[in-house]
Amino acid sequence: MISEELLKRLETQFGSSAKVLAGFRAAKDRRPSFRANLLKSDDASVMAALREDNVMFERAKAVPHAFFARNRTDRELLEHPLNQEGKIYLQGIASMLPALVLDPKREEAVLDLCAAPGSKTSQMAAMMGGGTLVACEDDSVRFQKLQNTLRIQGATFVEAVNKDATVLHHERPEAFDKILADVPCSAEGRMDLSDPRSYRYWSQKNVNEHAKLQRRLLRSAARMLKPGGTLVYSTCTLAPEENEGQVEWLLAECPELVSETFDLPVSEVKRWPKGGVTVLPTKDYEGFFIAKFKKTAASQ
């Protein structure tokens, strides 16, 4: 069972841990989800190919180009020709939401701050269809995975850079209209009560260490954002130190940033007073956190 310390915190944080624990239990039955890659195909062509191969599917409500598979496992979909050819991309529904909130456009300069393995980078590339999209990844092994994803997905216009995002602002101050900071985290939202590996190593120390790195990344992101630009911050954890606490810290640290509200096409959410939304884990998606900021003036 998960840590008693974590259980007590969830009770305090959400008023009750019941919904979160139900989501953790449902994780084992979560259906595979994927999106059509508009750089190589389209919804109609993907659906026709799936029907021809007797793959049962349904659309994910209000999430563009997203589907659930009903009679295939993740592994089977990974081996499917549609995936091998880059015409679809396997991705959790909650993982697709930050890019939708950011809403990158072809005419904008966009940065994916922590890009590997390339899920959200390739999603944004498909949304943009071209233009200026920079994908940053510090770890050399993960950077190779990012490059491979972009190659398979046909995102040839993306500029992939193997650099430390916490210091990238020295090279690219106020260079981007929109930035996605989907940062490393303690991954509480991905816990699965049927898989002890997903929660066995949870610790408050791990949460605190991630929070320190996230602040360094957020400082850098704020400095790379143009006045009038938009920053979306996201994690796949539920920890307040990494989520709503970071919103409060960032608004105090960078007074040129203001929090913005936004809608999400999912039902189980909790909105926080200072900004940001926690997506609670369910049978359809993992737990996630998303916050959105606008830069009102040049940083000092």
Side-chain angles (χ1 to χ4, degrees):
M1 190 57 180
I2 63 175
S3 161
E4 190 67 30
E5 183 181 3
L6 175 56
L7 280 174
K8 289 179 180 178
R9 196 210 67 209
L10 291 172
E11 288 282 345
T12 301
Q13 188 179 9
F14 297 106
S16 168
S17 62
K19 282 188 176 181
V20 175
L21 292 177
F24 290 165
R25 282 191 291 271
K28 65 181 176 61
D29 299 317
R30 200 167 287 148
R31 296 172 295 173
S33 55
F34 59 93
R35 55 178 170 79
N37 175 21
L38 301 191
L39 293 175
K40 284 193 168 184
S41 190
D42 54 61
D43 290 4
S45 299
V46 166
M47 289 189 291
L50 292 172
R51 291 188 184 105
E52 186 175 347
D53 200 27
N54 296 314
V55 177
M56 299 175 65
F57 62 89
E58 64 184 73
R59 285 186 178 274
K61 290 182 180 179
V63 181
H65 318 297
F67 302 84
F68 291 106
R70 296 167 57 188
N71 63 339
R72 294 291 190 276
T73 64
D74 283 302
R75 177 172 292 183
E76 288 169 336
L77 286 175
L78 284 171
E79 295 172 353
H80 195 280
L82 283 174
N83 184 68
Q84 296 291 320
E85 295 165 9
K87 294 179 179 178
I88 65 170
Y89 187 89
L90 270 68
Q91 187 175 358
I93 296 298
S95 174
M96 300 180 195
L97 301 179
L100 299 184
V101 174
L102 187 65
D103 192 24
K105 305 294 186 184
R106 189 185 186 111
E107 64 272 16
E108 297 167 334
V110 181
L111 170 66
D112 190 348
L113 192 71
C114 305
S119 302
K120 297 174 184 65
T121 308
S122 58
Q123 181 187 2
M124 291 193 293
M127 293 170 71
M128 296 169 68
T132 301
L133 175 55
V134 178
C136 183
E137 175 56 46
D138 183 26
D139 183 89
S140 58
V141 174
R142 287 174 58 81
F143 182 72
Q144 291 177 11
K145 293 180 180 179
L146 168 65
Q147 289 180 306
N148 189 54
T149 296
L150 297 177
R151 178 185 59 79
I152 294 172
Q153 295 288 296
T156 55
F157 67 92
V158 177
E159 178 190 355
V161 295
N162 187 195
K163 293 187 177 180
D164 181 356
T166 66
V167 295
L168 190 62
H169 64 273
H170 293 302
E171 297 179 21
R172 308 197 187 205
E174 296 192 339
F176 298 99
D177 299 290
K178 290 181 176 176
I179 298 176
L180 176 61
D182 183 69
V183 298
C185 70
S186 57
E188 292 178 5
R190 301 176 67 181
M191 287 184 176
D192 177 348
L193 293 189
S194 70
D195 182 5
R197 293 172 300 176
S198 70
Y199 56 81
R200 179 182 294 150
Y201 302 106
W202 180 89
S203 71
Q204 187 62 49
K205 179 181 178 182
N206 186 40
V207 169
N208 295 340
E209 289 176 350
H210 276 101
K212 290 177 183 177
L213 172 60
Q214 291 158 2
R215 291 188 177 190
R216 293 175 61 211
L217 289 164
L218 282 169
R219 279 196 195 97
S220 184
R223 292 168 182 171
M224 287 188 281
L225 194 62
K226 293 179 182 179
T230 299
L231 166 66
V232 167
Y233 172 74
S234 61
T235 74
C236 62
T237 192
L238 305 176
E241 297 90 342
E242 302 177 67
N243 293 345
E244 58 267 31
Q246 296 292 42
V247 171
E248 293 190 35
W249 171 84
L250 185 60
L251 293 174
E253 179 78 7
C254 303
E256 69 275 13
L257 295 181
V258 294
S259 179
E260 293 200 322
T261 59
F262 53 91
D263 295 321
L264 290 174
V266 294
S267 56
E268 295 294 339
V269 301
K270 179 174 177 60
R271 295 183 179 273
W272 301 99
K274 296 292 182 68
V277 178
T278 295
V279 177
L280 300 178
T282 70
K283 66 179 180 60
D284 287 333
Y285 42 81
E286 64 192 25
F288 232 81
F289 177 84
I290 306 170
K292 183 180 183 181
F293 305 91
K294 178 76 75 175
K295 189 172 189 177
T296 60
S299 57
Q300 301 298 315

